[in-house]
């Protein structure tokens, strides 16, 4: 794939796991699962709205770096350790995507990489 571009976040986990933040091939952009920057104050382990909001804000920057934007997102995949908070997650998702309406799925899983993370989202976008 001569038109493949790997976009790194600079995280040491990228080398440990053998992945990158995003991969752009042609007009397709796939973004790895992303968790919030939980700081214990503004974004806490029990606030799934804030975690979701933070994730999408941060991914907006990645999209721009790749020549895309939130309006070009065609799919999100949301993983959570607490499906009972799905309306909090949905409210944050709708804040950004209420008019865009990408396809999506929300899945409850047993755990994420660390206990403070309750939401992880993957994104697929079009780069035109």
């Amino acid at each position: 794939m001569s038109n493949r571009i790997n976009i790194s976040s600079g995280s040491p986990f990228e080398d440990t796991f053998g992945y990158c933040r995003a991969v752009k091939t042609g007009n397709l952009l796939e973004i790895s699962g992303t968790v919030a920057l939980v700081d214990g104050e503004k974004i806490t382990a029990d606030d799934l709205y804030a975690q979701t909001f933070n994730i999408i804000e941060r991914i907006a920057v990645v999209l721009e770096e790749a020549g895309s934007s939130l309006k070009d997102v065609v799919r999100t995949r949301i993983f959570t350790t607490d499906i009972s908070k799905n309306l909090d997650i949905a409210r944050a998702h709708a804040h950004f995507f209420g008019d865009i309406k990408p396809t999506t799925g929300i899945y409850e899983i047993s755990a994420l990489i660390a206990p403070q993370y309750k939401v992880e989202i993957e994104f697929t976008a079009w780069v035109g």
Side-chain angles (χ1 to χ4, degrees), residues 1-6 20 23-26:
M1 282 188 255
S2 61
N3 62 347
R4 176 189 175 116
I5 299 171
N6 288 353
C20 62
V23 175
K24 180 179 171 186
T25 54

Side-chain angles (χ1 to χ4, degrees), residues 4-127:
R4 176 189 175 116
I5 299 171
N6 288 353
I7 301 166
S8 175
S9 69
S11 167
F13 288 113
E14 290 181 354
D15 287 336
T16 301
F17 282 88
Y19 80 100
C20 62
R21 169 60 52 221
V23 175
K24 180 179 171 186
T25 54
N27 290 25
L28 181 67
L29 179 65
E30 290 284 352
I31 300 175
S32 294
T34 303
V35 295
L37 296 175
V38 177
D39 62 10
E41 294 176 18
K42 181 179 176 188
I43 303 162
T44 60
D46 63 344
D47 188 344
L48 279 66
Y49 173 85
Q51 287 196 25
T52 304
F53 200 96
N54 177 264
I55 292 165
I56 299 170
E57 278 186 323
R58 292 177 43 235
I59 290 306
V61 174
V62 175
L63 289 162
E64 287 180 26
E65 289 174 4
S68 189
S69 71
L70 289 175
K71 69 178 175 39
D72 299 311
V73 171
V74 295
R75 181 178 178 103
T76 59
R77 291 166 205 85
I78 305 167
F79 303 93
T80 182
T81 59
D82 188 355
I83 200 72
S84 73
K85 304 283 179 124
N86 72 82
L87 292 180
D88 293 335
I89 296 166
R91 190 166 44 95
H93 189 274
H95 174 85
F96 294 96
F97 294 115
D99 292 331
I100 301 164
K101 304 222 185 294
T103 64
T104 196
I106 185 166
Y107 313 95
E108 184 173 49
I109 58 174
S110 62
L112 289 166
I113 196 79
Q116 69 268 26
Y117 304 126
K118 308 294 188 201
V119 179
E120 182 169 324
I121 307 175
E122 298 174 350
F123 300 79
T124 302
W126 182 255
V127 181

